[in-house]
Amino acid sequence: MLVAIELIVVLGCIYWGLKMGGLGVGLAGGLGLAILTLGFGLEPSEPAIDVILIIMSVVTAASTMQAAGGMDWLVHHAGNLMRRNPRYICFLAPMITWLMTIMAGTGYTVFSTLPVIAEVAKEIGERPSRPLAGAVVASQVAISGSPISAAMAAMISIMEPIGVSFLQIMAVCLPASFIAAMVGAFIASRQGCELKDDPVYLEHLQQEHQQHEDKKITVNPKAKYSVWLFLFATVAIVIYAAFPALRPHFSDGSMMSTRDIIIVSMFAVACMMVPLCKIDPDTIIRTSTFRSGMSSVAVILGIVTMGSTMVNAHLPEIKEFAGSLLQSYPMLLSLVLFGTCTLLLSQGATTPLIIPLALSLQVPHWAILASFVAVTGVFVLPTYPTSLAAIEFDSTGSTRMGKNIFDHPFLLPGLVGVAAATLCGLLIAPMIV
């Protein structure tokens, strides 16, 4: 009976947090944690400190790049690439947003490209919902392949100490995320009627009396330096993480951890961007990347700690119930990851909550890597910020929620893409680990 009450508290706080949105998710998790510990006497679990530190350092560097105009510079060139190759926009747009997320570690980079994608698609007569849906899904599944995302930071910090190397993780997760993005793009490119036949678009044309005015964004000529610096740091992190012999070794026989390499690299390049691109440091904390990134820290601190506190308190019962099932059918972990992410709306929060549980249930390492792409379930409901932004930026009305909750253009590309990538992971992972 007590377990049921605790579960109601956890689910109730998650629901309330999702209703509040944004930082409210973390605050609600904090309230639930207080009820579980102070009210029911459960021992609080250790916060995911490594994950939080990595997120803070990466967000700081990405926000500095945005303040320098690096995001605008990337969007400018991405728009030119799509305009030069309009026939391939349904695949170019997802490739661009996938790559930007891989580089920046956050799917929120898609916000800056969505208006460009929508306008270019409209210019060439392509149904904007197709490249927009593909781009949004690609930016979400790329989280599971980015070496500096919050979810991957958690994955690395959990798996490296038990002997699974960074190179092994990336050898499975990076191609799996790309496969998910491209399969999703293909499905999205086949959705809906042609734009000229869309009744909603035709209605918009009849009611449209306002003149469209192109807004030219002035890009800082030095903005590209911030992008190159950020890219340099990302490549350096990958090299150091993939080849441990290159890392600094200390007198006690230990070597520099991947966590510390990420933190040092990101703060170093962020500092170099300030004088090189002539940035006022105060503008960094006002960027959208900084606000959303630091909000995710509170979300992880609240929700993940609350969830892991309850899980740890009842781990013997969970092992008895789910252990044999997951040992017999280890790929069921993909459904657990997907469902939890759909509930929490955060890959970064789902990973440190579920992966340690999977290890405690003795799920094979190869199954964990093969299932990791399924940590992306944020597209199931059309209420995720990137999905809502795509709907808002489409002036043709072709990207819409529909009459029912699940009849939106993001669901099918996301589901098919993740399913295909999970199957590919199932083939690749046993050969790698």
Side-chain angles (χ1 to χ4, degrees):
M1 181 64 181
L2 188 60
V3 176
I5 296 174
E6 292 170 359
L7 183 60
I8 290 172
V9 169
V10 170
L11 295 178
C13 287
I14 291 173
Y15 176 77
W16 187 29
L18 293 176
K19 291 284 284 184
M20 288 191 287
L23 189 61
V25 179
L27 299 179
L31 174 62
L33 180 62
I35 296 173
L36 293 178
T37 54
L38 302 177
F40 294 101
L42 300 187
E43 181 181 354
S45 69
E46 289 292 326
I49 299 299
D50 286 353
V51 179
I52 290 172
L53 291 176
I54 291 173
I55 291 172
M56 291 178 69
S57 59
V58 172
V59 165
T60 300
S63 302
T64 307
M65 180 175 69
Q66 184 179 5
M71 295 290 190
D72 291 336
W73 185 83
L74 283 172
V75 170
H76 172 73
H77 287 281
N80 288 342
L81 178 62
M82 286 186 286
R83 285 188 175 91
R84 286 196 299 267
N85 303 275
R87 289 186 300 171
Y88 308 110
I89 188 173
C90 289
F91 293 94
L92 277 175
M95 283 182 185
I96 290 168
T97 56
W98 180 85
L99 183 59
M100 288 178 67
T101 301
I102 291 293
M103 287 175 53
T106 171
Y108 289 140
T109 55
V110 76
F111 284 130
S112 55
T113 60
L114 290 177
V116 180
I117 295 169
E119 281 306 309
V120 172
K122 186 178 177 181
E123 285 175 14
I124 64 175
E126 178 63 79
R127 184 182 178 89
S129 67
R130 294 170 177 171
L132 285 173
V136 167
V137 169
S139 72
Q140 293 163 351
V141 297
I143 292 295
S144 63
S146 171
I148 54 175
S149 69
M152 185 58 76
M155 188 71 165
I156 292 168
S157 64
I158 295 166
M159 300 300 288
E160 272 198 336
I162 60 172
V164 181
S165 70
F166 173 84
L167 199 58
Q168 289 174 310
I169 295 171
M170 295 305 299
V172 178
C173 297
L174 186 63
S177 72
F178 184 73
I179 289 168
M182 291 301 98
V183 171
F186 176 78
I187 298 298
S189 69
R190 297 296 187 270
Q191 288 190 138
C193 63
E194 297 302 320
L195 183 61
K196 60 183 177 60
D197 300 323
D198 190 300
V200 176
Y201 173 57
L202 296 176
E203 185 179 341
H204 278 214
L205 283 180
Q206 291 176 357
Q207 297 176 350
E208 198 174 57
H209 298 295
Q210 297 180 354
Q211 292 184 345
H212 176 70
E213 190 176 317
D214 289 327
K215 294 182 179 178
K216 293 184 180 180
I217 300 174
T218 303
V219 180
N220 180 356
K222 295 186 176 181
K224 60 183 178 183
Y225 299 135
S226 67
V227 177
W228 297 128
L229 280 172
F230 193 91
L231 183 60
F232 172 77
T234 302
V235 172
I237 290 167
V238 170
I239 292 173
Y240 277 114
F243 303 100
L246 298 177
R247 303 184 193 184
H249 288 69
F250 310 118
S251 56
D252 61 355
S254 64
M255 62 181 175
M256 195 170 182
S257 67
T258 303
R259 182 203 70 179
D260 292 339
I261 289 171
I262 293 173
I263 293 172
V264 168
S265 302
M266 286 294 159
F267 268 98
V269 296
C271 183
M272 292 168 65
M273 290 178 198
V274 172
L276 186 61
C277 302
K278 297 182 179 179
I279 308 168
D280 180 357
D282 288 339
T283 62
I284 298 171
I285 60 175
R286 293 197 291 269
T287 62
S288 58
T289 300
F290 190 88
R291 291 196 301 271
S292 62
M294 292 306 172
S295 293
S296 69
V297 171
V299 170
I300 290 173
L301 187 60
I303 287 291
V304 172
T305 310
M306 176 186 69
S308 57
T309 294
M310 183 179 173
V311 167
N312 291 341
H314 303 286
L315 195 56
E317 297 97 309
I318 294 173
K319 285 183 177 180
E320 184 179 349
F321 174 75
S324 59
L325 187 63
L326 281 174
Q327 286 173 24
S328 301
Y329 306 99
M331 289 306 293
L332 285 178
L333 177 63
S334 60
L335 297 179
V336 177
L337 286 167
F338 188 82
T340 305
C341 186
T342 301
L343 185 64
L344 295 182
L345 287 177
S346 171
Q347 298 99 324
T350 300
T351 304
L353 181 63
I354 300 300
I355 299 301
L357 175 61
L359 288 172
S360 69
L361 296 175
Q362 299 181 341
V363 176
H365 296 168
W366 63 264
I368 293 176
L369 296 189
S371 302
F372 188 57
V373 70
V375 77
T376 306
V378 296
F379 54 75
V380 172
L381 298 175
T383 54
Y384 197 67
T386 52
S387 301
L388 290 173
I391 293 171
E392 290 298 319
F393 283 127
D394 185 359
S395 60
T396 68
S398 69
T399 310
R400 47 187 181 266
M401 293 188 187
K403 296 180 180 178
N404 302 309
I405 296 176
F406 297 107
D407 56 343
H408 56 82
F410 313 102
L411 182 61
L412 190 59
L415 286 176
V416 177
V418 168
T422 303
L423 291 175
C424 290
L426 179 60
L427 297 175
I428 299 171
M431 297 186 292
I432 301 296
V433 181

